[in-house]
Amino acid sequence: MVVGNIILRLRGSLEFKCQLDSTDVPHVQKVISRTFEALGSQVKAESLVLGLCSSPVFLWPNKGGHATAGEISPNRPCKDLQQLIQTDDQESSSRKSAKKDKKNPPAGIINLTLMTEVTETGVLSVAPTLLRERKKHHLLQTTLPMDCVVSVPSSESISVVCGTLVGALCSQLGDMEKVALRHMKGTALLIPQPFHFLLPAPVGLVTVVYPAGVPDSQLETRRKELHSLFELPDNRPYLRRANALHFPDEPYKDGYLRNPHVHLNHPVLENGKPYLVQGTYSYHHYMQDRMDDNGWGCAYRSLQTICSWFQQQGYVERAVPSHKEIQQALVEVGDKQGSFLGSRQWIGSIEVAAVLDQLLGVTSKIMFNVSGSLLRRELANHFLSEGTPIMIGGGVLAHTILGVAWSETTGQIRYLILDPHYTGAEDLQVITDKGWCGWKGPEFWDQNAYYNLCLPQRPKTI
């Protein structure tokens, strides 16, 4: 996203309703297109209203950006809208106590709600007329989840921004129409759902509409078209649902912390350069998921962190496996006997690689008997080319390596470690301050011990 820009996100719903007098395909397509056209006219009408979230302000985008707040004129820069958003500090003490956990929206994002003005001025000059007609028909009705995001300079006027948002709504309706028609099954309409993606420069922020209920595995043809359109590499996913942009004002619902390492400062090394994990992962550690694995489950947790990475990069759609599922997979591949199920036996890098292959179809590179001094260039090359978390095991301990920083000039090296032995709550400050996620020197490793590493490889797919 462009530095200095403001993100405006407009969400709401539009009712899609049409009457089909026939199930003939051309007729159905014609009626659906006509209904989308009517919705396009609806969002261009003067009755369209945009509500500024956490604020009493309403905007009429098709009336030149007219607002309820008299002090906000359509010619004012859109950044001034942020001043009208109520924060916790501006609320009364009674409301503060009731909403003490409320998070203020981050700077640079303005949320709006899509609404329609229903009150009409004037008096009906004639009495309403009712017409009753008896005939068979099929009623097609659903709710379209509108979700538009635009990035604009903070100095752009409110009136121009309103026009941009209306244009985004019309464009999204057009995309929804194409998806609805492409995936129509008889008279069954699959709900088109918008997803936002932040693609590599110079593309930036884009929105793609996918049909609800159709898995990513059946949308590869569409993704290939989009990869070609945006000139994206054809060896890794960028446009799967899991790749969708996560907005900072939306908490993750599963309770796991994401990417705690991004809150750390890089180590200062002479001519040093950091090589880091790419993408998003969840931090899995002891005592989560109502599972007491303290003292034996560190490699299971490191494996779960790795699995979360593949899930959140869109390579797989399955959930992160539980301890039971991990043990079951090892029995199924013949690595363990049936007595292993339900046990508290440790696993190592070999077992981690076997589970990744069995459950995710992911291959791994195994490095055996690596000394405590550890490799430098090999780790740097891995994070450059693959970017996946690394599981390292030695003795009875396992850790996750998220990066390495080293200086070719002095030979100094630091390892970015995510420690699965943490047993506390999901407290980011404790985890980073106490070093459960942190940069470690060579002394972190037992210099007399040998370690095995599991380096998962990215599948070549979109």
Side-chain angles (χ1 to χ4, degrees):
M1 287 179 274
V2 180
V3 176
N5 274 21
I6 282 182
I7 300 295
L8 293 101
R9 188 179 189 188
L10 174 60
R11 284 173 287 182
S13 59
L14 292 175
E15 291 301 316
F16 181 96
K17 184 189 297 184
C18 62
Q19 178 178 308
L20 302 176
D21 298 325
S22 166
T23 57
D24 181 61
V25 173
H27 171 74
V28 172
Q29 293 179 339
K30 183 178 180 180
V31 173
I32 288 176
S33 295
R34 190 187 307 139
T35 305
F36 272 105
E37 184 179 347
L39 289 174
S41 299
Q42 182 179 324
V43 301
K44 295 176 184 177
E46 291 188 350
S47 58
L48 187 74
V49 180
L50 309 182
L52 184 62
C53 295
S54 302
S55 165
V57 176
F58 296 94
L59 302 170
W60 279 259
N62 297 317
K63 291 183 179 180
H66 167 70
T68 51
E71 69 274 15
I72 292 292
S73 74
N75 295 325
R76 292 276 293 275
C78 62
K79 64 181 179 182
D80 289 356
L81 291 174
Q82 290 183 312
Q83 301 172 8
L84 301 174
I85 298 175
Q86 293 179 348
T87 63
D88 290 348
D89 294 337
Q90 296 168 325
E91 295 177 352
S92 64
S93 58
S94 61
R95 294 190 65 185
K96 279 185 181 180
S97 61
K99 298 184 177 182
K100 61 183 179 180
D101 294 329
K102 177 182 176 182
K103 298 292 188 297
N104 297 330
I109 296 181
I110 297 176
N111 290 297
L112 301 117
T113 302
L114 180 65
M115 310 172 77
T116 301
E117 189 176 33
V118 295
T119 304
E120 296 182 2
T121 58
V123 180
L124 288 174
S125 58
V126 296
T129 301
L130 298 179
L131 176 64
R132 182 180 181 183
E133 184 179 6
R134 296 176 62 92
K135 65 177 182 179
K136 292 183 179 181
H137 66 270
H138 182 82
L139 181 65
L140 193 59
Q141 183 175 3
T142 189
T143 299
L144 300 178
M146 308 304 296
D147 187 347
C148 297
V149 174
V150 298
S151 175
V152 297
S154 59
S155 59
E156 192 68 89
S157 70
I158 293 174
S159 61
V160 171
V161 167
C162 283
T164 302
L165 286 169
V166 171
L169 280 171
C170 293
S171 177
Q172 190 163 106
L173 282 171
D175 292 339
M176 286 183 166
E177 178 186 353
K178 293 175 184 176
V179 168
L181 293 175
R182 176 182 290 190
H183 296 275
M184 194 79 185
K185 297 180 179 179
T187 57
L189 181 68
L190 298 183
I191 299 175
Q193 295 178 323
F195 295 86
H196 310 294
F197 301 92
L198 187 59
L199 301 181
V203 181
L205 193 62
V206 301
T207 301
V208 178
V209 176
Y210 290 133
V214 179
D216 286 337
S217 58
Q218 296 180 22
L219 296 171
E220 184 175 353
T221 300
R222 177 57 179 156
R223 289 198 304 276
K224 285 182 177 180
E225 295 171 356
L226 294 170
H227 272 246
S228 177
L229 175 65
F230 297 124
E231 298 182 349
L232 298 172
D234 60 0
N235 61 352
R236 64 178 56 181
Y238 285 92
L239 294 166
R240 296 193 180 202
R241 291 178 175 92
N243 303 125
L245 177 64
H246 183 85
F247 290 87
D249 58 340
E250 292 183 327
Y252 287 100
K253 297 178 181 179
D254 57 17
Y256 300 108
L257 286 179
R258 261 62 171 193
N259 288 27
H261 76 279
V262 301
H263 301 277
L264 301 172
N265 294 322
H266 292 165
V268 178
L269 303 176
E270 182 182 347
N271 296 323
K273 182 179 179 181
Y275 303 87
L276 304 175
V277 63
Q278 303 172 22
T280 306
Y281 61 88
S282 303
Y283 179 21
H284 292 261
H285 57 78
Y286 278 169
M287 307 300 288
Q288 287 178 330
D289 315 312
R290 299 181 180 179
M291 166 64 74
D292 182 0
D293 57 349
N294 193 353
W296 60 275
C298 51
Y300 292 80
R301 297 300 187 176
S302 180
L303 170 57
Q304 288 178 331
T305 293
I306 293 172
C307 290
S308 77
W309 185 93
F310 281 97
Q311 178 198 48
Q312 293 176 68
Q313 267 50 247
Y315 286 102
V316 297
E317 296 183 54
R318 68 157 294 153
V320 172
S322 64
H323 290 57
K324 180 180 179 180
E325 290 170 325
I326 291 170
Q327 292 181 341
Q328 182 65 44
L330 289 172
V331 172
E332 289 175 355
V333 300
D335 184 85
K336 302 292 183 183
Q337 300 297 319
S339 59
F340 178 64
L341 292 175
S343 73
R344 294 192 167 199
Q345 293 183 32
W346 299 321
I347 61 173
S349 56
I350 303 299
E351 289 89 347
V352 167
V355 173
L356 288 173
D357 184 37
Q358 174 72 2
L359 296 184
L360 275 61
V362 168
T363 60
S364 302
K365 177 181 178 182
I366 302 294
M367 303 191 71
F368 296 99
N369 298 325
V370 179
S371 68
S373 60
L374 283 180
L375 19 70
R376 295 174 172 84
R377 193 175 300 278
E378 289 85 349
L379 292 179
N381 288 339
H382 171 82
F383 287 114
L384 280 175
S385 61
E386 305 299 327
T388 65
I390 296 172
M391 180 270 181
I392 178 171
V396 297
L397 297 178
H399 293 86
T400 308
I401 302 178
L402 299 176
V404 62
W406 68 294
S407 167
E408 291 193 67
T409 304
T410 65
Q412 290 178 293
I413 187 168
R414 298 291 184 272
Y415 305 95
L416 181 55
I417 301 299
L418 188 67
D419 196 334
H421 303 91
Y422 175 63
T423 59
E426 310 311 302
D427 189 321
L428 178 63
Q429 185 170 353
V430 170
I431 289 167
T432 53
D433 288 353
K434 299 297 184 180
W436 296 103
C437 179
W439 289 95
K440 312 292 183 181
E443 67 279 359
F444 180 76
W445 313 106
D446 184 344
Q447 301 302 303
N448 297 317
Y450 287 90
Y451 296 85
N452 294 334
L453 281 75
C454 174
L455 293 80
Q457 308 294 293
R458 282 182 185 257
K460 301 298 186 285
T461 180
I462 63 168

